[in-house]
Amino acid sequence: MTAKIIDGKVISDFFRAEYKRRVDRLASSGIRPGLAVVIVGDDPASQVYVRNKAKACESIGMYSEVHPLPSTTSQAALTAFVETLNARPEIHGILVQLPLPKGLDDRAVIEAIAAEKDVDGFHYANMGALVIDESPYPPCTPYGVMKMLEYEGITIEGKHAVIIGRSNIVGKPQAMLLLKAGATVTVCHSKTQDLPAFCRSADILVAAVGRPNFVEGHWIKPGAVVIDVGINRLPDGKLCGDVDYHSAAEVASAITPVPGGVGPMTITMLLGNTLHAAEATLPNAVGMETRLA
Ligand code: NDP
């Protein structure tokens, strides 16, 4: 079997076109969705991510602003800055690029963001809402995975979904979203005994490990759908995923490549969440249940 490639760029473009139409509709109500991105310090990779997020906003007519702060910024100053963004009505979404430099507390900063502007979905209120299926802002990467499955018409209900990884930003929220969609979900991690056996029982396998080419083709059930969240840089500078793509593609029915798979979807879902935050300010706002339907 040679797997169908699930093209994250194509799917991302599809959703961006839909979001652009909604941005245009909002303009008739005098609203332009606005995202503020805060970056502390000078980590080059984070700067690239932040620039890409700002560019993506502009590409669909949304407003964005980037706030670079020095790595010497104190916790109190960072919190105070986030609070000024909370108070600005034209800013609908706030994102603080993580991880923060050493000495700053990621969690405290996330909690300083007003929950209704937490478009990353990491605030306690939004994480809690996710657990009871009511999250207004599902975390962008796992939400992007759900949108890819939806776009491809892949049945989730009744399927066994295995997730490798239990991080707060990918593995755990992915489990909640797949559970909501009717999958039977198994979450594996570094303490899991006999990981390949769990993988072999997966109809949908999501790898979010952070280890290059970790999942081998012979771990995969023939016909399974394989979603590779991993982004790893090899010594030669090339990017690869957590799944050994070539051996896996021989066995799977569908697979996401790296790059060009889940990555583009993450930013697109950030746009979607920011747009939703702006739409939620309208008097006749549509609820999240409708949005996820
Ligand atoms: P974390 O490091 O926070 O989590 C990795 C998870 O993998 C942990 O739960 C860990 O288990 C588990 N793990 C590590 N080694 C093993 C092992 N040998 N066997 C089984 N499980 C193992 O990473 P993230 O969730 O933040 O990211 C995962 C990957 O996804 C990374 O490559 C990252 O770059 C990528 N990523 C991609 C995004 C995108 O837009 N496409 C967005 C976010 C992340 P334990 O908890 O026991 O330590």
Side-chain angles (χ1 to χ4, degrees), residues 49 122 140-142 145 163-172 187-192 195 207-212 214 219 228-233 240-242 258 261-267:
Y49 290 141
F122 296 157
C140 300
T141 299
V145 169
I163 302 160
I164 320 174
R166 57 174 165 176
S167 71
N168 292 334
I169 64 167
V170 187
K172 282 182 203 154
V187 182
C188 300
H189 45 79
S190 68
K191 307 292 184 284
T192 298
L195 179 64
V209 194
R211 289 175 169 238
F214 176 71
W219 297 10
D228 190 351
V229 176
I231 301 178
N232 308 289
R233 198 165 287 283
C240 79
D242 290 343
V258 178
V262 177
M265 292 300 288
T266 297
I267 293 186

Side-chain angles (χ1 to χ4, degrees), residues 27 42 72 82 88 98 104 109 111 114 188 204 214 245 257 276 281:
D42 45 20
T72 50
V82 166
R88 288 175 51 198
L98 301 176
L104 292 173
V109 175
E111 293 313 307
C188 300
I204 299 170
F214 176 71
Y245 182 83
H276 180 65
T281 63

Side-chain angles (χ1 to χ4, degrees), residues 225-244:
V225 173
V226 177
I227 306 289
D228 190 351
V229 176
I231 301 178
N232 308 289
R233 198 165 287 283
L234 295 170
D236 65 4
K238 288 195 181 135
L239 291 180
C240 79
D242 290 343
V243 176
D244 180 47

Side-chain angles (χ1 to χ4, degrees), residues 146 156-161 175-185:
M146 300 307 290
I156 299 173
E157 198 171 284
K159 296 293 167 67
H160 183 205
M176 291 303 135
L177 293 172
L178 284 164
L179 197 56
K180 180 178 184 192
T184 301
V185 179

Side-chain angles (χ1 to χ4, degrees), residues 4-177:
K4 175 184 194 301
I5 298 170
I6 303 177
D7 187 331
K9 179 78 177 59
V10 167
I11 303 172
S12 178
D13 287 348
F14 172 85
F15 283 104
R16 285 189 196 194
E18 183 207 316
Y19 295 160
K20 173 142 188 358
R21 284 192 290 275
R22 284 165 53 190
V23 168
D24 293 345
R25 268 207 302 276
L26 267 183
S28 62
S29 310
I31 296 173
R32 187 176 183 203
L35 174 71
V37 183
V38 180
I39 174 167
V40 187
D42 45 20
D43 176 59
S46 294
Q47 284 174 340
V48 172
Y49 290 141
V50 163
R51 270 202 304 277
N52 288 344
K53 286 168 185 172
K55 262 200 292 194
C57 280
E58 282 145 27
S59 74
I60 63 162
M62 289 171 42
Y63 170 73
S64 75
E65 53 186 40
V66 176
H67 297 279
L69 301 179
S71 54
T72 50
T73 305
S74 69
Q75 189 80 39
L78 181 54
T79 302
F81 186 74
V82 166
E83 282 164 0
T84 64
L85 297 173
N86 285 341
R88 288 175 51 198
E90 77 282 17
I91 296 297
H92 302 96
I94 302 170
L95 181 155
V96 177
Q97 184 66 38
L98 301 176
L100 291 168
K102 238 177 145 193
L104 292 173
D105 179 349
D106 290 9
R107 179 43 60 188
V109 175
I110 292 167
E111 293 313 307
I113 299 172
E116 68 275 14
K117 296 191 179 189
D118 164 44
V119 286
D120 254 342
F122 296 157
H123 191 285
Y124 287 141
N126 292 323
M127 281 290 190
L130 181 70
V131 174
I132 56 166
D133 296 341
E134 290 177 9
S135 171
Y137 307 122
C140 300
T141 299
Y143 191 36
V145 169
M146 300 307 290
K147 287 290 180 187
M148 292 179 109
L149 295 172
E150 174 191 311
Y151 179 93
E152 293 292 336
I154 292 164
T155 305
I156 299 173
E157 198 171 284
K159 296 293 167 67
H160 183 205
V162 173
I163 302 160
I164 320 174
R166 57 174 165 176
S167 71
N168 292 334
I169 64 167
V170 187
K172 282 182 203 154
Q174 189 72 74
M176 291 303 135
L177 293 172

